[in-house]
Amino acid sequence: MTRVVRELLSRRLLFVTGKGGVGKSSVAAALGVLAARRDIDTVVVEVGRDRALAGLLQGDRPLEPGDGCTPVPVSPHLFTLHLEPEAALTEYLELQLRVRRLVRLVVGNPGFRRLLDAAPGWRELITLGKLWHLESQRDGAAPRWGLLVVDAPATGHGLSLLSVPHVVLDTVRLGPLRRHTDWVQGLIQDRTRTLVLPVTLPEELPVKETRELRESVRELGIGLGPLLANGIEPVPELPELGALLAALEGAQLAELPDGAALRSIVEHAMRRARLQRGFLDELAQESEEPLVELPRLLEGVETREQVERFADALEAALAAAEVEA
């Protein structure tokens, strides 16, 4: 295991976030697979409305129904959880009040539901509280869960999730809410336990958003892990490429585009690769964190088998980033 992989998997909580569509769910799933391969009991947590992770990780086995609070096993050492704030709130109140029937009556009350709908930030706070609860669970003297990988919301909502403890601590001075928020804040600001992993594409808008995300996470006092650049396309590298393209331009090739079309395709790929490299170099120069380049997989990442291959690519990319550093 390389140093970068070892340091990542030694954390307790990894938040994977970035602009929508950059592949953060695939990265979260691949990280879960890497940890499970090393016999680390790992929960890959979804906190948005989408339910993509269970389908990515379950493979051919039927998926157990979840209750929104309890991790569901999908393979040895690997679990998923679609965290539902309402279920987590019910669980929290039951732990505090210890009267399940009363809690169910309160939570099911229409007036209480309207109050919740009007209260900003409670879903984010209870989500973080549930993550803290999972991280603090023990199996004897050892942690029950070795690693929590959170497929966090896209950048804006992801930052709202991470910043909510600041807001609560600025307004609440005493009581259980203050005490519990202190615990949550202590977890997410502890860089030995928690890191944020930004995921980007080698394109203008995702790179711009990643810069802003990086600065905001630093302002919140939360540790940053490697920047993960997804979907990198290789530069065509052929000896005597110019001469080859010139020869192809006048050729007639069976079952292939004509030579002029082939030349146009290759030149487009080269221009695109150079453009991507420009964005990546710009991001790398501004970042203290290592830049990890993940290849674009033509087959996509939609099945457990493809997640396994993506995990291989992620591990290789992390190792390559370590060598370059």
Side-chain angles (χ1 to χ4, degrees):
M1 187 191 312
T2 63
R3 177 184 56 81
V4 173
V5 174
R6 183 170 60 252
E7 289 182 358
L8 270 183
L9 301 187
S10 70
R11 268 38 182 217
R12 303 297 312 287
L13 183 57
L14 299 175
F15 286 95
V16 181
T17 187
K19 183 176 174 61
V22 299
K24 62 187 181 62
S25 296
S26 299
V27 170
L31 283 167
V33 167
L34 284 183
R37 286 176 181 175
R38 291 160 174 81
D39 298 336
I40 300 171
D41 284 342
T42 303
V43 186
V44 185
V45 183
E46 250 177 336
V47 298
R49 293 186 177 181
D50 294 336
R51 294 175 177 264
L53 281 171
L56 280 176
L57 292 171
Q58 71 185 38
D60 296 329
R61 63 181 292 170
L63 185 65
E64 297 180 23
D67 61 4
C69 285
T70 307
V72 175
V74 291
S75 60
H77 301 290
L78 188 59
F79 300 75
T80 62
L81 170 61
H82 187 273
L83 201 161
E84 298 177 5
E86 291 80 1
L89 176 63
T90 300
E91 181 189 47
Y92 171 75
L93 292 175
E94 288 175 354
L95 289 171
Q96 296 302 308
L97 300 178
R98 302 183 185 279
V99 184
R100 183 174 184 179
R101 185 169 178 272
L102 174 60
V103 169
R104 301 285 169 164
L105 287 172
V106 171
V107 173
N109 183 278
F112 182 77
R113 305 293 300 186
R114 286 194 295 271
L115 179 64
L116 283 181
D117 290 339
W122 77 265
R123 288 179 174 83
E124 290 82 0
L125 186 59
I126 203 68
T127 294
L128 291 176
K130 176 60 181 178
L131 294 173
W132 172 86
H133 177 65
L134 289 169
E135 192 274 340
S136 65
Q137 287 181 333
R138 294 293 180 267
D139 185 1
R144 171 62 188 92
W145 306 111
L147 178 64
L148 306 174
V149 180
V150 182
D151 181 13
T155 305
H157 289 155
L159 287 172
S160 296
L161 172 70
L162 295 170
S163 64
V164 123
H166 275 286
V167 177
V168 174
L169 294 177
D170 284 344
T171 56
V172 180
R173 300 300 177 186
L174 297 170
L177 180 58
R178 169 75 190 207
R179 184 170 65 254
H180 294 165
T181 305
D182 272 329
W183 295 341
V184 169
Q185 186 76 323
L187 170 62
I188 66 173
Q189 288 190 327
D190 183 348
R191 299 184 184 205
T192 67
R193 292 189 289 169
T194 300
L195 288 177
V196 172
L197 304 181
V199 182
T200 188
L201 292 176
E203 299 171 6
E204 183 176 5
L205 290 181
V207 166
K208 180 176 183 292
E209 197 162 302
T210 299
R211 289 199 203 100
E212 296 169 354
L213 169 65
R214 182 188 57 208
E215 295 307 315
S216 297
V217 169
R218 286 175 177 164
E219 290 173 5
L220 290 171
I222 304 172
L224 274 167
L227 306 181
L228 304 173
N230 198 15
I232 307 299
E233 297 180 10
V235 181
E237 294 182 1
L238 294 171
E240 304 294 335
L241 181 59
L244 176 61
L245 291 177
L248 285 174
E249 191 162 1
Q252 297 294 324
L253 303 173
E255 299 182 0
L256 288 174
D258 62 45
L262 280 175
R263 178 173 188 138
S264 178
I265 290 168
V266 173
E267 289 177 343
H268 172 76
M270 293 176 68
R271 287 194 299 271
R272 180 172 174 80
R274 284 195 292 267
L275 185 63
Q276 287 188 344
R277 179 50 49 194
F279 289 127
L280 294 175
D281 289 346
E282 187 178 344
L283 187 60
Q285 289 170 6
E286 297 177 355
S287 303
E288 299 173 6
E289 299 76 25
L291 180 65
V292 177
E293 300 184 12
L294 299 170
R296 177 172 176 258
L297 301 184
L298 295 178
E299 63 185 353
V301 183
E302 299 178 356
T303 67
R304 176 60 185 263
E305 184 179 359
Q306 291 167 346
V307 172
E308 295 279 352
R309 286 197 284 272
F310 191 49
D312 294 337
L314 173 59
E315 185 167 15
L318 289 167
E322 180 175 321
V323 170
E324 291 177 6

